[in-house]
Coordinates of all heavy atoms in Angstrom, one line a residue:
M1 N 10.2 9.8 22.8 CA 10.1 8.9 21.7 C 8.7 8.9 21.1 O 7.8 8.9 21.8 CB 10.5 7.5 22.2 CG 10.4 6.5 21.1 SD 10.8 4.8 21.6 CE 12.4 5.0 22.3
K2 N 8.7 9.0 19.8 CA 7.4 8.9 19.1 C 7.1 7.5 18.6 O 8.0 6.9 18.1 CB 7.4 9.9 17.9 CG 7.7 11.3 18.2 CD 6.6 12.0 18.8 CE 6.9 13.5 19.0 NZ 5.8 14.2 19.6
L3 N 5.9 7.1 18.8 CA 5.5 5.7 18.3 C 4.5 5.9 17.3 O 3.6 6.8 17.3 CB 5.0 4.9 19.5 CG 6.0 4.7 20.6 CD1 5.3 3.9 21.7 CD2 7.2 3.9 20.1
G4 N 4.5 5.0 16.3 CA 3.5 5.0 15.3 C 3.1 3.7 14.7 O 3.5 2.7 15.2
V5 N 2.4 3.8 13.6 CA 1.8 2.6 13.0 C 1.9 2.7 11.5 O 1.6 3.8 11.0 CB 0.4 2.4 13.4 CG1 -0.4 1.5 12.5 CG2 0.3 1.8 14.8
S6 N 2.3 1.7 10.8 CA 2.2 1.7 9.3 C 0.9 1.2 8.9 O 0.3 0.3 9.5 CB 3.3 0.7 8.8 OG 3.1 0.4 7.5
S7 N 0.3 1.8 7.8 CA -1.0 1.4 7.3 C -0.9 -0.1 6.9 O -1.8 -0.8 6.9 CB -1.5 2.3 6.2 OG -0.5 2.2 5.1
Y8 N 0.3 -0.5 6.5 CA 0.5 -1.9 6.1 C 0.3 -2.9 7.2 O -0.1 -4.0 7.0 CB 1.9 -2.1 5.4 CG 2.1 -3.4 4.8 CD1 1.4 -3.7 3.6 CD2 2.9 -4.4 5.3 CE1 1.5 -4.9 3.0 CE2 3.0 -5.6 4.7 CZ 2.3 -5.9 3.5 OH 2.4 -7.1 2.9
S9 N 0.6 -2.4 8.4 CA 0.4 -3.3 9.6 C -1.0 -3.7 9.7 O -1.4 -4.7 10.3 CB 0.9 -2.5 10.9 OG 2.2 -2.2 10.8
L10 N -1.9 -2.8 9.3 CA -3.4 -3.1 9.4 C -4.0 -3.6 8.0 O -5.2 -3.5 7.8 CB -4.1 -1.9 9.9 CG -3.7 -1.4 11.3 CD1 -4.3 -0.1 11.6 CD2 -4.1 -2.5 12.3
Y11 N -3.1 -4.0 7.1 CA -3.5 -4.4 5.8 C -4.6 -5.4 5.8 O -5.6 -5.2 5.0 CB -2.3 -4.9 5.0 CG -2.7 -5.5 3.7 CD1 -3.0 -4.6 2.6 CD2 -2.7 -6.9 3.5 CE1 -3.4 -5.2 1.4 CE2 -3.1 -7.4 2.2 CZ -3.5 -6.5 1.2 OH -3.8 -7.0 0.0
Q12 N -4.6 -6.4 6.6 CA -5.6 -7.4 6.6 C -6.9 -6.8 7.0 O -8.0 -7.2 6.5 CB -5.2 -8.6 7.5 CG -4.2 -9.5 6.9 CD -4.6 -10.1 5.6 OE1 -5.7 -10.4 5.3 NE2 -3.6 -10.4 4.8
E13 N -6.9 -5.9 8.0 CA -8.1 -5.3 8.5 C -8.7 -4.4 7.4 O -9.9 -4.3 7.1 CB -7.9 -4.5 9.7 CG -7.6 -5.3 11.0 CD -8.7 -6.2 11.4 OE1 -9.9 -5.8 11.2 OE2 -8.4 -7.4 11.8
I14 N -7.8 -3.6 6.7 CA -8.2 -2.8 5.6 C -8.8 -3.6 4.5 O -9.9 -3.3 3.9 CB -7.0 -1.9 5.1 CG1 -6.6 -0.9 6.2 CG2 -7.4 -1.1 3.9 CD1 -5.3 -0.2 6.0
K15 N -8.2 -4.7 4.2 CA -8.6 -5.6 3.1 C -10.0 -6.2 3.5 O -10.8 -6.4 2.6 CB -7.6 -6.7 3.0 CG -7.9 -7.7 1.8 CD -6.8 -8.7 1.7 CE -7.1 -9.8 0.8 NZ -6.1 -10.8 0.8
N16 N -10.3 -6.3 4.8 CA -11.6 -6.8 5.2 C -12.6 -5.7 5.5 O -13.6 -6.0 6.1 CB -11.4 -7.7 6.4 CG -10.7 -9.0 6.1 OD1 -10.8 -9.6 5.0 ND2 -9.9 -9.5 7.0
G17 N -12.3 -4.5 5.1 CA -13.3 -3.4 5.2 C -13.0 -2.3 6.2 O -13.8 -1.4 6.3
M18 N -11.9 -2.4 6.9 CA -11.6 -1.3 7.8 C -11.3 -0.1 7.0 O -10.5 -0.1 6.1 CB -10.4 -1.7 8.7 CG -10.0 -0.7 9.8 SD -8.6 -1.3 10.7 CE -8.8 -0.5 12.3
S19 N -11.9 1.1 7.3 CA -11.6 2.3 6.5 C -10.4 3.0 7.0 O -9.9 2.7 8.1 CB -12.8 3.2 6.6 OG -12.9 3.8 7.9
I20 N -9.9 3.9 6.2 CA -8.7 4.7 6.6 C -9.1 5.5 7.9 O -8.2 5.7 8.7 CB -8.1 5.6 5.5 CG1 -6.8 6.1 5.8 CG2 -9.1 6.7 5.1 CD1 -5.7 5.1 6.0
L21 N -10.3 6.0 8.0 CA -10.7 6.7 9.2 C -10.7 5.8 10.4 O -10.2 6.2 11.5 CB -12.1 7.3 9.0 CG -12.7 8.1 10.1 CD1 -11.7 9.3 10.4 CD2 -14.1 8.7 9.8
D22 N -11.1 4.5 10.2 CA -11.0 3.6 11.3 C -9.5 3.4 11.7 O -9.2 3.2 12.9 CB -11.6 2.2 10.9 CG -13.1 2.3 10.7 OD1 -13.7 3.1 11.3 OD2 -13.6 1.4 9.9
V23 N -8.6 3.3 10.7 CA -7.2 3.2 11.0 C -6.7 4.4 11.8 O -6.0 4.3 12.8 CB -6.3 3.1 9.7 CG1 -4.9 3.2 10.0 CG2 -6.7 1.8 9.0
M24 N -7.1 5.6 11.4 CA -6.7 6.8 12.2 C -7.2 6.8 13.6 O -6.5 7.1 14.5 CB -7.3 8.1 11.5 CG -6.7 8.3 10.1 SD -4.9 8.4 10.0 CE -4.6 9.8 11.0
E25 N -8.5 6.4 13.8 CA -9.1 6.3 15.1 C -8.3 5.2 16.0 O -8.1 5.4 17.1 CB -10.6 6.0 15.0 CG -11.4 7.2 14.5 CD -11.3 8.4 15.4 OE1 -11.3 8.2 16.7 OE2 -11.2 9.5 14.9
W26 N -8.0 4.1 15.3 CA -7.3 3.1 16.0 C -5.9 3.6 16.5 O -5.5 3.4 17.6 CB -7.1 1.9 15.1 CG -6.6 0.7 15.9 CD1 -7.3 -0.3 16.5 CD2 -5.2 0.3 16.0 NE1 -6.4 -1.2 17.1 CE2 -5.1 -0.8 16.8 CE3 -4.0 0.9 15.5 CZ2 -3.9 -1.4 17.1 CZ3 -2.8 0.3 15.9 CH2 -2.8 -0.8 16.6
V27 N -5.2 4.3 15.6 CA -3.9 4.8 16.0 C -4.0 5.8 17.1 O -3.3 5.7 18.1 CB -3.2 5.5 14.7 CG1 -2.0 6.2 15.1 CG2 -2.9 4.4 13.7
K28 N -5.0 6.7 17.0 CA -5.2 7.7 18.1 C -5.6 7.0 19.4 O -5.0 7.4 20.4 CB -6.4 8.6 17.6 CG -6.6 9.8 18.5 CD -7.7 10.7 17.9 CE -8.0 11.8 18.8 NZ -9.1 12.6 18.2
G29 N -6.4 6.0 19.3 CA -6.8 5.2 20.5 C -5.7 4.4 21.2 O -5.6 4.2 22.4
A30 N -4.7 4.1 20.3 CA -3.5 3.3 20.8 C -2.4 4.3 21.2 O -1.2 3.9 21.4 CB -3.0 2.4 19.8
D31 N -2.7 5.6 21.3 CA -1.7 6.6 21.6 C -0.6 6.7 20.6 O 0.5 7.1 21.0 CB -1.2 6.4 23.1 CG -2.2 6.7 24.1 OD1 -3.1 7.5 23.9 OD2 -2.2 6.0 25.2
G32 N -0.9 6.4 19.4 CA 0.1 6.5 18.3 C 0.3 8.0 17.9 O -0.6 8.8 18.0
E33 N 1.5 8.4 17.5 CA 1.8 9.7 17.1 C 2.3 9.8 15.7 O 2.9 10.8 15.3 CB 2.8 10.4 18.1 CG 2.3 10.4 19.5 CD 3.3 11.0 20.5 OE1 3.4 12.2 20.5 OE2 3.9 10.2 21.2
H34 N 2.2 8.7 15.0 CA 2.8 8.7 13.6 C 2.0 7.7 12.8 O 1.6 6.6 13.3 CB 4.2 8.2 13.8 CG 4.9 7.7 12.6 ND1 5.1 6.4 12.3 CD2 5.3 8.4 11.5 CE1 5.7 6.3 11.1 NE2 5.8 7.5 10.6
V35 N 1.7 8.1 11.6 CA 1.0 7.2 10.6 C 1.9 7.1 9.4 O 2.4 8.1 8.9 CB -0.4 7.7 10.2 CG1 -0.9 6.9 9.1 CG2 -1.3 7.7 11.4
E36 N 2.1 5.9 8.9 CA 3.0 5.7 7.7 C 2.1 5.2 6.6 O 1.3 4.3 6.8 CB 4.0 4.7 8.1 CG 4.9 4.4 6.9 CD 6.0 3.3 7.3 OE1 5.6 2.1 7.4 OE2 7.1 3.8 7.6
I37 N 2.2 5.9 5.5 CA 1.5 5.5 4.3 C 2.3 4.5 3.5 O 3.4 4.9 3.1 CB 1.1 6.7 3.4 CG1 0.1 7.6 4.2 CG2 0.4 6.2 2.1 CD1 -0.1 8.9 3.5
V38 N 1.8 3.3 3.3 CA 2.5 2.4 2.4 C 1.6 2.2 1.2 O 0.5 1.7 1.3 CB 2.7 1.0 3.1 CG1 3.5 0.1 2.2 CG2 3.5 1.2 4.4
S39 N 2.1 2.7 0.1 CA 1.2 2.8 -1.1 C 1.2 1.5 -1.9 O 1.5 1.4 -3.1 CB 1.7 3.9 -2.0 OG 0.8 4.1 -3.1
L40 N 1.0 0.4 -1.2 CA 0.9 -0.9 -1.8 C -0.4 -1.1 -2.6 O -1.4 -0.8 -2.0 CB 1.1 -2.0 -0.8 CG 2.4 -2.1 0.0 CD1 2.3 -3.2 1.0 CD2 3.5 -2.4 -1.0
G41 N -0.2 -1.5 -3.8 CA -1.4 -1.8 -4.6 C -1.9 -3.2 -4.4 O -1.4 -3.9 -3.4
F42 N -2.7 -3.7 -5.2 CA -3.2 -5.0 -5.0 C -2.3 -6.1 -5.6 O -2.3 -7.2 -5.3 CB -4.6 -5.1 -5.7 CG -5.6 -4.2 -5.0 CD1 -6.0 -3.1 -5.7 CD2 -6.0 -4.4 -3.8 CE1 -6.9 -2.2 -5.1 CE2 -6.9 -3.5 -3.2 CZ -7.3 -2.4 -3.8
D43 N -1.4 -5.6 -6.5 CA -0.4 -6.6 -7.1 C 0.9 -5.8 -7.3 O 1.1 -5.0 -8.2 CB -1.0 -7.0 -8.5 CG -0.1 -8.1 -9.1 OD1 1.1 -8.2 -8.7 OD2 -0.6 -8.8 -10.0
L44 N 1.9 -6.2 -6.5 CA 3.2 -5.5 -6.5 C 3.9 -5.6 -7.8 O 4.7 -4.8 -8.2 CB 4.1 -6.0 -5.4 CG 3.7 -5.7 -4.0 CD1 4.7 -6.4 -3.0 CD2 3.9 -4.2 -3.8
T45 N 3.6 -6.6 -8.6 CA 4.3 -6.8 -9.9 C 3.7 -6.1 -11.0 O 4.3 -6.0 -12.1 CB 4.4 -8.3 -10.2 OG1 3.0 -8.8 -10.4 CG2 5.1 -9.1 -9.1
K46 N 2.5 -5.6 -10.9 CA 1.7 -4.9 -12.0 C 1.4 -3.5 -11.8 O 1.3 -2.7 -12.8 CB 0.5 -5.7 -12.3 CG 0.7 -7.1 -12.8 CD -0.6 -7.8 -13.1 CE -0.3 -9.2 -13.5 NZ -1.5 -10.0 -13.7
S47 N 1.2 -3.0 -10.6 CA 0.7 -1.7 -10.4 C 1.8 -0.8 -9.8 O 2.6 -1.3 -9.1 CB -0.5 -1.6 -9.5 OG -0.2 -2.1 -8.3
P48 N 1.8 0.5 -10.2 CA 2.8 1.4 -9.6 C 2.6 1.5 -8.1 O 1.5 1.4 -7.5 CB 2.4 2.8 -10.2 CG 1.5 2.5 -11.3 CD 0.8 1.2 -11.0
Q49 N 3.7 1.6 -7.4 CA 3.7 1.7 -5.9 C 4.1 3.1 -5.4 O 4.4 3.3 -4.3 CB 4.6 0.7 -5.3 CG 4.3 -0.7 -5.8 CD 2.9 -1.1 -5.6 OE1 2.3 -0.9 -4.5 NE2 2.2 -1.7 -6.6
I50 N 4.2 4.1 -6.3 CA 4.5 5.4 -5.9 C 3.3 6.1 -5.4 O 2.2 6.0 -6.0 CB 5.0 6.2 -7.2 CG1 6.4 5.6 -7.6 CG2 5.2 7.7 -6.8 CD1 6.9 6.2 -8.9
A51 N 3.4 6.6 -4.2 CA 2.2 7.3 -3.5 C 1.6 8.3 -4.5 O 2.3 9.2 -5.0 CB 2.6 7.9 -2.2
G52 N 0.3 8.2 -4.7 CA -0.4 9.1 -5.6 C -0.5 8.5 -7.0 O -1.3 9.1 -7.8
D53 N 0.2 7.5 -7.4 CA 0.1 6.9 -8.7 C -0.4 5.5 -8.7 O -0.6 4.9 -9.8 CB 1.5 6.9 -9.4 CG 2.1 8.3 -9.7 OD1 1.3 9.2 -9.7 OD2 3.3 8.4 -9.9
G54 N -0.6 4.9 -7.6 CA -1.0 3.5 -7.5 C -2.5 3.3 -7.4 O -3.3 4.1 -7.8
D55 N -2.9 2.1 -7.0 CA -4.3 1.7 -6.9 C -5.0 2.5 -5.8 O -6.2 2.6 -5.9 CB -4.4 0.2 -6.5 CG -3.9 -0.7 -7.6 OD1 -3.8 -0.3 -8.7 OD2 -3.5 -1.9 -7.2
L56 N -4.3 3.0 -4.8 CA -5.0 3.7 -3.7 C -5.3 5.1 -4.1 O -4.5 5.8 -4.7 CB -4.1 3.6 -2.5 CG -3.7 2.3 -2.0 CD1 -2.7 2.4 -0.8 CD2 -4.9 1.5 -1.6
N57 N -6.5 5.6 -3.7 CA -6.9 7.0 -3.9 C -6.2 7.8 -2.8 O -6.8 8.1 -1.8 CB -8.4 7.1 -4.0 CG -8.8 8.5 -4.4 OD1 -8.1 9.5 -4.1 ND2 -9.9 8.6 -5.0
M58 N -5.0 8.3 -3.1 CA -4.3 9.0 -2.1 C -4.9 10.3 -1.7 O -4.9 10.7 -0.5 CB -2.8 9.3 -2.6 CG -1.9 9.7 -1.5 SD -1.7 8.5 -0.1 CE -1.2 7.0 -0.9
R59 N -5.6 11.0 -2.6 CA -6.3 12.2 -2.4 C -7.4 12.0 -1.3 O -7.4 12.8 -0.3 CB -6.9 12.8 -3.6 CG -7.6 14.1 -3.5 CD -8.0 14.7 -4.8 NE -6.8 15.0 -5.6 CZ -6.1 16.1 -5.5 NH1 -6.3 17.0 -4.6 NH2 -5.0 16.3 -6.3
D60 N -8.2 11.0 -1.5 CA -9.2 10.7 -0.5 C -8.6 10.3 0.8 O -9.2 10.7 1.9 CB -10.2 9.6 -1.0 CG -11.1 10.1 -2.1 OD1 -11.2 11.3 -2.4 OD2 -11.7 9.2 -2.8
I61 N -7.6 9.5 0.8 CA -7.0 9.1 2.1 C -6.4 10.3 2.8 O -6.7 10.4 4.0 CB -5.8 8.1 1.8 CG1 -6.4 6.7 1.3 CG2 -5.0 7.8 3.0 CD1 -5.4 5.7 0.8
L62 N -5.7 11.2 2.1 CA -5.2 12.3 2.8 C -6.3 13.3 3.3 O -6.1 14.0 4.3 CB -4.2 13.0 1.9 CG -2.9 12.2 1.6 CD1 -2.1 12.9 0.6 CD2 -2.1 12.0 2.9
K63 N -7.4 13.4 2.6 CA -8.5 14.2 3.0 C -9.0 13.7 4.3 O -9.3 14.5 5.2 CB -9.6 14.2 2.0 CG -9.5 15.2 0.8 CD -10.7 15.1 -0.1 CE -10.5 16.0 -1.3 NZ -11.7 15.8 -2.2
V64 N -9.2 12.4 4.4 CA -9.7 11.8 5.7 C -8.7 12.1 6.8 O -9.1 12.4 7.9 CB -10.0 10.3 5.5 CG1 -10.2 9.6 6.8 CG2 -11.1 10.1 4.5
I65 N -7.5 11.9 6.6 CA -6.4 12.1 7.6 C -6.5 13.6 8.1 O -6.5 13.9 9.2 CB -5.0 11.8 7.1 CG1 -4.9 10.2 6.9 CG2 -4.0 12.3 8.1 CD1 -3.7 9.8 6.2
K66 N -6.6 14.5 7.1 CA -6.6 15.9 7.4 C -7.9 16.3 8.2 O -7.8 17.0 9.2 CB -6.5 16.7 6.1 CG -6.1 18.2 6.3 CD -5.7 18.8 5.0 CE -5.1 20.1 5.2 NZ -4.7 20.8 3.9
K67 N -9.0 15.7 7.7 CA -10.3 16.0 8.4 C -10.4 15.5 9.8 O -11.1 16.0 10.6 CB -11.4 15.4 7.5 CG -12.8 15.8 8.0 CD -13.9 15.2 7.1 CE -15.3 15.6 7.6 NZ -16.3 15.0 6.7
S68 N -9.7 14.4 10.0 CA -9.7 13.8 11.4 C -9.1 14.6 12.4 O -9.2 14.4 13.6 CB -9.0 12.4 11.3 OG -7.6 12.5 11.3
G69 N -8.3 15.6 12.0 CA -7.6 16.5 13.0 C -6.3 15.9 13.4 O -5.6 16.4 14.3
Y70 N -5.9 14.8 12.8 CA -4.6 14.2 13.1 C -3.5 15.2 13.0 O -3.4 15.9 11.9 CB -4.4 13.0 12.2 CG -3.0 12.3 12.4 CD1 -2.8 11.5 13.5 CD2 -2.0 12.5 11.5 CE1 -1.6 10.8 13.8 CE2 -0.8 11.8 11.7 CZ -0.6 11.0 12.8 OH 0.6 10.4 13.0
S71 N -2.6 15.3 14.0 CA -1.5 16.3 13.9 C -0.1 15.6 14.1 O 0.8 16.3 14.3 CB -1.8 17.4 14.9 OG -1.8 16.9 16.2
G72 N -0.1 14.3 14.1 CA 1.2 13.6 14.3 C 2.0 13.6 13.0 O 1.6 14.2 12.0
Y73 N 3.0 12.8 13.0 CA 3.8 12.6 11.9 C 3.1 11.7 10.8 O 2.4 10.8 11.1 CB 5.2 11.9 12.2 CG 6.0 12.8 13.1 CD1 6.1 12.6 14.5 CD2 6.8 13.8 12.5 CE1 6.9 13.5 15.3 CE2 7.6 14.6 13.3 CZ 7.6 14.4 14.7 OH 8.4 15.2 15.5
L74 N 3.4 12.0 9.6 CA 2.9 11.2 8.4 C 4.2 10.9 7.6 O 4.9 11.8 7.2 CB 1.9 12.1 7.6 CG 1.2 11.4 6.5 CD1 0.3 10.3 7.0 CD2 0.4 12.4 5.7
S75 N 4.4 9.7 7.4 CA 5.6 9.3 6.6 C 5.2 8.4 5.4 O 4.1 7.9 5.4 CB 6.7 8.6 7.5 OG 6.2 7.4 8.0
I76 N 6.1 8.2 4.5 CA 5.8 7.4 3.3 C 6.9 6.3 3.2 O 8.1 6.6 3.4 CB 5.9 8.3 2.1 CG1 4.9 9.4 2.1 CG2 5.8 7.5 0.8 CD1 5.2 10.6 1.1
E77 N 6.4 5.1 2.9 CA 7.3 4.0 2.7 C 7.2 3.6 1.3 O 6.1 3.4 0.8 CB 7.0 2.9 3.6 CG 7.9 1.7 3.4 CD 7.6 0.5 4.4 OE1 7.1 0.8 5.5 OE2 7.9 -0.6 4.0
F78 N 8.3 3.6 0.5 CA 8.2 3.1 -0.9 C 8.7 1.7 -1.0 O 9.8 1.4 -0.5 CB 9.1 4.1 -1.7 CG 9.2 3.6 -3.1 CD1 8.1 3.7 -4.0 CD2 10.4 3.0 -3.6 CE1 8.2 3.2 -5.3 CE2 10.5 2.5 -4.9 CZ 9.4 2.6 -5.7
E79 N 8.0 0.9 -1.6 CA 8.4 -0.5 -1.8 C 7.9 -0.9 -3.2 O 7.1 -1.8 -3.4 CB 7.7 -1.5 -0.8 CG 8.2 -1.3 0.6 CD 7.6 -2.2 1.6 OE1 7.0 -3.2 1.1 OE2 7.7 -2.0 2.8
G80 N 8.4 -0.3 -4.2 CA 8.0 -0.6 -5.6 C 9.1 -1.2 -6.5 O 10.2 -1.4 -6.0
L81 N 8.7 -1.4 -7.7 CA 9.6 -1.9 -8.7 C 10.5 -0.8 -9.3 O 11.5 -1.1 -9.9 CB 8.9 -2.7 -9.8 CG 8.0 -3.9 -9.3 CD1 7.2 -4.4 -10.5 CD2 8.9 -4.9 -8.7
E82 N 10.1 0.4 -9.2 CA 10.8 1.5 -9.7 C 12.1 1.8 -8.9 O 12.3 1.2 -7.8 CB 10.0 2.8 -9.7 CG 8.7 2.8 -10.5 CD 7.5 2.2 -9.7 OE1 7.7 1.6 -8.6 OE2 6.4 2.3 -10.2
D83 N 13.0 2.5 -9.5 CA 14.2 2.9 -8.8 C 13.8 3.5 -7.4 O 13.0 4.4 -7.4 CB 15.0 3.9 -9.6 CG 16.2 4.5 -8.9 OD1 17.2 3.8 -8.7 OD2 16.1 5.6 -8.4
C84 N 14.5 3.1 -6.4 CA 14.0 3.5 -5.0 C 14.2 5.0 -4.8 O 13.4 5.6 -4.1 CB 14.8 2.7 -3.9 SG 16.5 2.9 -3.9
R85 N 15.2 5.6 -5.3 CA 15.4 7.1 -5.1 C 14.3 7.8 -5.9 O 13.7 8.8 -5.4 CB 16.8 7.5 -5.6 CG 17.9 7.0 -4.7 CD 19.2 7.5 -5.1 NE 20.3 6.8 -4.4 CZ 21.4 7.3 -4.1 NH1 21.7 8.5 -4.5 NH2 22.3 6.6 -3.5
Y86 N 14.1 7.4 -7.1 CA 13.0 8.1 -7.9 C 11.6 7.9 -7.2 O 10.9 8.8 -7.1 CB 13.0 7.5 -9.3 CG 11.8 7.9 -10.1 CD1 11.8 9.2 -10.7 CD2 10.7 7.1 -10.3 CE1 10.6 9.6 -11.4 CE2 9.6 7.5 -11.0 CZ 9.6 8.7 -11.6 OH 8.5 9.2 -12.3
G87 N 11.3 6.6 -6.8 CA 10.0 6.3 -6.2 C 9.8 7.1 -4.9 O 8.7 7.6 -4.7
T88 N 10.8 7.1 -4.1 CA 10.7 7.8 -2.8 C 10.5 9.3 -3.1 O 9.6 10.0 -2.5 CB 11.9 7.6 -2.0 OG1 12.0 6.2 -1.7 CG2 11.8 8.3 -0.6
K89 N 11.3 9.9 -3.9 CA 11.3 11.4 -4.2 C 9.9 11.7 -4.8 O 9.3 12.7 -4.4 CB 12.4 11.8 -5.1 CG 12.5 13.3 -5.4 CD 13.7 13.6 -6.3 CE 13.9 15.1 -6.5 NZ 13.1 15.6 -7.5
T90 N 9.5 10.9 -5.8 CA 8.2 11.2 -6.5 C 7.0 11.0 -5.5 O 6.1 11.8 -5.5 CB 8.0 10.3 -7.7 OG1 9.2 10.5 -8.6 CG2 6.8 10.6 -8.5
S91 N 7.1 10.0 -4.7 CA 6.0 9.8 -3.7 C 5.9 11.0 -2.7 O 4.8 11.5 -2.5 CB 6.3 8.6 -2.8 OG 6.2 7.4 -3.6
L92 N 7.1 11.5 -2.3 CA 7.1 12.7 -1.4 C 6.5 13.9 -2.1 O 5.7 14.6 -1.5 CB 8.5 12.9 -0.9 CG 8.7 14.1 0.1 CD1 7.9 13.8 1.4 CD2 10.2 14.2 0.5
E93 N 6.9 14.1 -3.3 CA 6.4 15.3 -4.1 C 4.9 15.2 -4.3 O 4.2 16.1 -4.2 CB 7.1 15.3 -5.5 CG 8.6 15.8 -5.4 CD 9.4 15.6 -6.7 OE1 8.8 15.0 -7.6 OE2 10.5 16.1 -6.7
N94 N 4.4 14.0 -4.7 CA 3.0 13.8 -4.9 C 2.2 14.0 -3.6 O 1.2 14.7 -3.7 CB 2.7 12.3 -5.3 CG 3.1 12.1 -6.8 OD1 3.5 13.0 -7.5 ND2 3.1 10.8 -7.1
V95 N 2.6 13.5 -2.5 CA 1.9 13.7 -1.2 C 1.9 15.2 -0.8 O 0.9 15.7 -0.4 CB 2.4 12.8 -0.1 CG1 1.8 13.2 1.2 CG2 2.1 11.3 -0.5
K96 N 3.1 15.8 -0.9 CA 3.1 17.3 -0.6 C 2.2 18.1 -1.5 O 1.4 19.0 -1.0 CB 4.5 17.8 -0.8 CG 5.5 17.5 0.3 CD 6.9 18.1 0.0 CE 7.9 17.9 1.1 NZ 9.1 18.6 0.7
K97 N 2.1 17.8 -2.8 CA 1.2 18.5 -3.7 C -0.2 18.3 -3.3 O -1.0 19.2 -3.3 CB 1.5 18.0 -5.1 CG 0.7 18.7 -6.1 CD 1.0 18.2 -7.6 CE 0.1 19.0 -8.5 NZ -0.3 18.2 -9.7
I98 N -0.6 17.0 -3.1 CA -2.0 16.7 -2.7 C -2.4 17.4 -1.4 O -3.4 18.0 -1.3 CB -2.2 15.2 -2.6 CG1 -2.1 14.5 -3.9 CG2 -3.6 14.9 -2.0 CD1 -2.0 13.0 -3.9
L99 N -1.5 17.4 -0.4 CA -1.8 18.1 0.9 C -2.0 19.6 0.7 O -2.8 20.2 1.4 CB -0.7 17.8 1.9 CG -0.7 16.4 2.5 CD1 0.6 16.2 3.3 CD2 -1.9 16.2 3.4
Q100 N -1.2 20.2 -0.2 CA -1.4 21.6 -0.5 C -2.7 21.9 -1.2 O -3.3 23.0 -1.0 CB -0.3 22.2 -1.3 CG 1.0 22.3 -0.6 CD 2.2 22.6 -1.5 OE1 2.1 22.7 -2.7 NE2 3.4 22.9 -0.9
E101 N -3.2 21.0 -2.0 CA -4.4 21.2 -2.8 C -5.7 20.9 -2.0 O -6.8 21.4 -2.3 CB -4.4 20.3 -4.0 CG -3.3 20.6 -5.0 CD -3.2 19.6 -6.1 OE1 -3.9 18.6 -6.1 OE2 -2.5 19.9 -7.1
I102 N -5.6 20.1 -0.9 CA -6.9 19.8 -0.2 C -7.1 20.7 1.0 O -6.2 21.3 1.4 CB -6.9 18.3 0.2 CG1 -5.7 17.9 1.1 CG2 -6.9 17.4 -1.0 CD1 -5.8 16.5 1.7

């Protein structure tokens, strides 16, 4: 069984200054094998929630994850105002494209 952590679970810590690298180290230290990206912006009613299109700099986040040597699962959770199939598909396409470019 693989266990993991959603970045949203650590939202309060991230909001208070915990970096994505700190999140990765925390997951690794807790023997987690999965990180989930929740592309929540600062205001769910105003900003896009599609990974790569929202408030979060997904390119920088994915660079840090890749640089950390993390080799576990990476998943995407879509919780936006857009159509869920469109938002999920576009999020996946965006993250795949960014990972190929970095």
Side-chain angles (χ1 to χ4, degrees):
M1 179 181 300
K2 302 283 185 184
L3 298 176
V5 158
S6 165
S7 60
Y8 190 68
S9 299
L10 297 171
Y11 172 74
Q12 287 299 332
E13 292 297 323
I14 293 168
K15 188 175 167 184
N16 291 326
M18 185 180 210
S19 73
I20 192 66
L21 185 56
D22 294 335
V23 170
M24 298 304 299
E25 289 298 321
W26 187 89
V27 170
K28 188 176 177 182
D31 293 327
E33 299 178 79
H34 165 251
V35 172
E36 178 179 80
I37 297 172
V38 181
S39 189
L40 294 176
F42 299 107
D43 185 342
L44 287 175
T45 63
K46 293 182 181 173
S47 62
Q49 304 308 312
I50 295 173
D53 291 343
D55 293 337
L56 302 177
N57 187 329
M58 195 58 59
R59 182 173 298 280
D60 285 350
I61 290 170
L62 292 172
K63 277 183 185 177
V64 169
I65 291 171
K66 200 169 189 179
K67 187 177 178 180
S68 77
Y70 177 76
S71 62
Y73 293 99
L74 186 63
S75 65
I76 299 165
E77 180 177 334
F78 173 74
E79 293 184 13
L81 299 175
E82 300 87 348
D83 173 78
C84 63
R85 291 179 192 211
Y86 170 80
T88 301
K89 183 176 187 278
T90 305
S91 291
L92 184 58
E93 289 169 352
N94 287 350
V95 170
K96 281 182 176 181
K97 181 179 180 212
I98 293 168
L99 284 171
Q100 289 174 349
E101 293 174 353
I102 59 173

